[in-house]
Amino acid sequence: MNDLREKVRRLTIALSRIDGLYERMSRKFGYKANMLWLLYSLDDGEAKSQKQLCDEWLFRPTTLNTIVKECEAEGYVTLEHIPGTRREMSVRLTESGKEYAHTILNPLY
């Protein structure tokens, strides 16, 4: 039991350090941390529903909506209605969004 607890503790510390480093980098370069996380979450090339992003990345829906609208206005993401749903939209990086994301994310990677 103690060995498992110690492993979980070390993993938690590592995750906390990663979060802290990303937070510092976003401040250093003048990016909003939530925007950085959105770009990071979309950097795998897959479209994600806003609900999926909120569930997986723990974005508040209002926060995510604000960031997505800002990124859409800059041409970094596109929104597409998900067929078979009433209002659900998917978010995907545009080509310029991919370039912008790589500019921001490559130093982090």
Side-chain angles (χ1 to χ4, degrees), residues 63-76:
T63 300
L64 179 62
N65 189 51
T66 299
I67 298 164
V68 167
K69 292 297 180 193
E70 289 173 9
C71 286
E72 184 181 34
E74 294 292 330
Y76 299 145

PDB file of all heavy atoms in Angstrom, residues 63-76:
ATOM      1  N   THR A  63     -15.579  29.572 -20.151  1.00  0.00           N
ATOM      2  CA  THR A  63     -14.170  29.868 -20.439  1.00  0.00           C
ATOM      3  C   THR A  63     -13.789  29.316 -21.802  1.00  0.00           C
ATOM      4  O   THR A  63     -13.170  30.008 -22.614  1.00  0.00           O
ATOM      5  CB  THR A  63     -13.255  29.266 -19.350  1.00  0.00           C
ATOM      6  OG1 THR A  63     -13.603  29.828 -18.089  1.00  0.00           O
ATOM      7  CG2 THR A  63     -11.794  29.511 -19.652  1.00  0.00           C
ATOM      8  N   LEU A  64     -14.167  28.068 -22.055  1.00  0.00           N
ATOM      9  CA  LEU A  64     -13.852  27.456 -23.345  1.00  0.00           C
ATOM     10  C   LEU A  64     -14.501  28.231 -24.477  1.00  0.00           C
ATOM     11  O   LEU A  64     -13.859  28.513 -25.493  1.00  0.00           O
ATOM     12  CB  LEU A  64     -14.303  25.997 -23.383  1.00  0.00           C
ATOM     13  CG  LEU A  64     -14.036  25.288 -24.707  1.00  0.00           C
ATOM     14  CD1 LEU A  64     -12.546  25.222 -25.012  1.00  0.00           C
ATOM     15  CD2 LEU A  64     -14.654  23.910 -24.703  1.00  0.00           C
ATOM     16  N   ASN A  65     -15.753  28.607 -24.311  1.00  0.00           N
ATOM     17  CA  ASN A  65     -16.448  29.351 -25.354  1.00  0.00           C
ATOM     18  C   ASN A  65     -15.721  30.653 -25.671  1.00  0.00           C
ATOM     19  O   ASN A  65     -15.542  31.010 -26.832  1.00  0.00           O
ATOM     20  CB  ASN A  65     -17.898  29.631 -24.934  1.00  0.00           C
ATOM     21  CG  ASN A  65     -18.701  30.203 -26.071  1.00  0.00           C
ATOM     22  OD1 ASN A  65     -18.732  29.669 -27.164  1.00  0.00           O
ATOM     23  ND2 ASN A  65     -19.349  31.334 -25.809  1.00  0.00           N
ATOM     24  N   THR A  66     -15.273  31.361 -24.645  1.00  0.00           N
ATOM     25  CA  THR A  66     -14.548  32.622 -24.844  1.00  0.00           C
ATOM     26  C   THR A  66     -13.255  32.381 -25.616  1.00  0.00           C
ATOM     27  O   THR A  66     -12.948  33.102 -26.581  1.00  0.00           O
ATOM     28  CB  THR A  66     -14.240  33.281 -23.486  1.00  0.00           C
ATOM     29  OG1 THR A  66     -15.471  33.561 -22.823  1.00  0.00           O
ATOM     30  CG2 THR A  66     -13.442  34.556 -23.657  1.00  0.00           C
ATOM     31  N   ILE A  67     -12.491  31.379 -25.212  1.00  0.00           N
ATOM     32  CA  ILE A  67     -11.210  31.089 -25.868  1.00  0.00           C
ATOM     33  C   ILE A  67     -11.432  30.650 -27.313  1.00  0.00           C
ATOM     34  O   ILE A  67     -10.716  31.073 -28.222  1.00  0.00           O
ATOM     35  CB  ILE A  67     -10.441  30.002 -25.093  1.00  0.00           C
ATOM     36  CG1 ILE A  67     -10.112  30.477 -23.699  1.00  0.00           C
ATOM     37  CG2 ILE A  67      -9.163  29.608 -25.819  1.00  0.00           C
ATOM     38  CD1 ILE A  67      -9.708  29.357 -22.778  1.00  0.00           C
ATOM     39  N   VAL A  68     -12.421  29.805 -27.527  1.00  0.00           N
ATOM     40  CA  VAL A  68     -12.712  29.333 -28.885  1.00  0.00           C
ATOM     41  C   VAL A  68     -13.113  30.506 -29.768  1.00  0.00           C
ATOM     42  O   VAL A  68     -12.652  30.623 -30.913  1.00  0.00           O
ATOM     43  CB  VAL A  68     -13.800  28.234 -28.868  1.00  0.00           C
ATOM     44  CG1 VAL A  68     -14.333  27.966 -30.270  1.00  0.00           C
ATOM     45  CG2 VAL A  68     -13.247  26.954 -28.260  1.00  0.00           C
ATOM     46  N   LYS A  69     -13.934  31.402 -29.267  1.00  0.00           N
ATOM     47  CA  LYS A  69     -14.349  32.571 -30.061  1.00  0.00           C
ATOM     48  C   LYS A  69     -13.149  33.447 -30.403  1.00  0.00           C
ATOM     49  O   LYS A  69     -13.040  33.947 -31.525  1.00  0.00           O
ATOM     50  CB  LYS A  69     -15.407  33.389 -29.309  1.00  0.00           C
ATOM     51  CG  LYS A  69     -16.744  32.691 -29.158  1.00  0.00           C
ATOM     52  CD  LYS A  69     -17.382  32.440 -30.497  1.00  0.00           C
ATOM     53  CE  LYS A  69     -18.718  31.745 -30.306  1.00  0.00           C
ATOM     54  NZ  LYS A  69     -19.238  31.212 -31.556  1.00  0.00           N
ATOM     55  N   GLU A  70     -12.232  33.637 -29.439  1.00  0.00           N
ATOM     56  CA  GLU A  70     -11.020  34.421 -29.706  1.00  0.00           C
ATOM     57  C   GLU A  70     -10.168  33.744 -30.785  1.00  0.00           C
ATOM     58  O   GLU A  70      -9.679  34.405 -31.702  1.00  0.00           O
ATOM     59  CB  GLU A  70     -10.195  34.591 -28.429  1.00  0.00           C
ATOM     60  CG  GLU A  70     -10.823  35.520 -27.416  1.00  0.00           C
ATOM     61  CD  GLU A  70     -10.066  35.545 -26.091  1.00  0.00           C
ATOM     62  OE1 GLU A  70      -8.957  34.974 -25.998  1.00  0.00           O
ATOM     63  OE2 GLU A  70     -10.599  36.150 -25.134  1.00  0.00           O
ATOM     64  N   CYS A  71      -9.991  32.442 -30.665  1.00  0.00           N
ATOM     65  CA  CYS A  71      -9.195  31.702 -31.647  1.00  0.00           C
ATOM     66  C   CYS A  71      -9.873  31.684 -33.016  1.00  0.00           C
ATOM     67  O   CYS A  71      -9.202  31.753 -34.050  1.00  0.00           O
ATOM     68  CB  CYS A  71      -8.940  30.278 -31.162  1.00  0.00           C
ATOM     69  SG  CYS A  71      -7.728  30.171 -29.832  1.00  0.00           S
ATOM     70  N   GLU A  72     -11.191  31.611 -33.024  1.00  0.00           N
ATOM     71  CA  GLU A  72     -11.926  31.642 -34.296  1.00  0.00           C
ATOM     72  C   GLU A  72     -11.757  33.004 -34.966  1.00  0.00           C
ATOM     73  O   GLU A  72     -11.528  33.086 -36.177  1.00  0.00           O
ATOM     74  CB  GLU A  72     -13.401  31.330 -34.056  1.00  0.00           C
ATOM     75  CG  GLU A  72     -14.203  31.240 -35.336  1.00  0.00           C
ATOM     76  CD  GLU A  72     -15.670  30.958 -35.089  1.00  0.00           C
ATOM     77  OE1 GLU A  72     -16.230  31.431 -34.080  1.00  0.00           O
ATOM     78  OE2 GLU A  72     -16.262  30.264 -35.937  1.00  0.00           O
ATOM     79  N   ALA A  73     -11.845  34.071 -34.192  1.00  0.00           N
ATOM     80  CA  ALA A  73     -11.689  35.421 -34.735  1.00  0.00           C
ATOM     81  C   ALA A  73     -10.287  35.629 -35.325  1.00  0.00           C
ATOM     82  O   ALA A  73     -10.122  36.365 -36.303  1.00  0.00           O
ATOM     83  CB  ALA A  73     -11.959  36.462 -33.656  1.00  0.00           C
ATOM     84  N   GLU A  74      -9.293  34.962 -34.742  1.00  0.00           N
ATOM     85  CA  GLU A  74      -7.913  35.058 -35.242  1.00  0.00           C
ATOM     86  C   GLU A  74      -7.655  34.103 -36.403  1.00  0.00           C
ATOM     87  O   GLU A  74      -6.585  34.140 -37.014  1.00  0.00           O
ATOM     88  CB  GLU A  74      -6.919  34.763 -34.109  1.00  0.00           C
ATOM     89  CG  GLU A  74      -6.916  35.784 -33.004  1.00  0.00           C
ATOM     90  CD  GLU A  74      -6.362  37.129 -33.441  1.00  0.00           C
ATOM     91  OE1 GLU A  74      -5.486  37.167 -34.337  1.00  0.00           O
ATOM     92  OE2 GLU A  74      -6.811  38.146 -32.890  1.00  0.00           O
ATOM     93  N   GLY A  75      -8.624  33.238 -36.688  1.00  0.00           N
ATOM     94  CA  GLY A  75      -8.465  32.274 -37.778  1.00  0.00           C
ATOM     95  C   GLY A  75      -7.700  31.023 -37.392  1.00  0.00           C
ATOM     96  O   GLY A  75      -7.240  30.284 -38.258  1.00  0.00           O
ATOM     97  N   TYR A  76      -7.585  30.755 -36.094  1.00  0.00           N
ATOM     98  CA  TYR A  76      -6.816  29.600 -35.628  1.00  0.00           C
ATOM     99  C   TYR A  76      -7.644  28.327 -35.537  1.00  0.00           C
ATOM    100  O   TYR A  76      -7.095  27.234 -35.589  1.00  0.00           O
ATOM    101  CB  TYR A  76      -6.195  29.878 -34.260  1.00  0.00           C
ATOM    102  CG  TYR A  76      -5.229  31.029 -34.239  1.00  0.00           C
ATOM    103  CD1 TYR A  76      -5.132  31.864 -33.143  1.00  0.00           C
ATOM    104  CD2 TYR A  76      -4.390  31.299 -35.325  1.00  0.00           C
ATOM    105  CE1 TYR A  76      -4.245  32.924 -33.111  1.00  0.00           C
ATOM    106  CE2 TYR A  76      -3.503  32.353 -35.304  1.00  0.00           C
ATOM    107  CZ  TYR A  76      -3.432  33.156 -34.201  1.00  0.00           C
ATOM    108  OH  TYR A  76      -2.551  34.204 -34.175  1.00  0.00           O
TER     109      TYR A  76
END
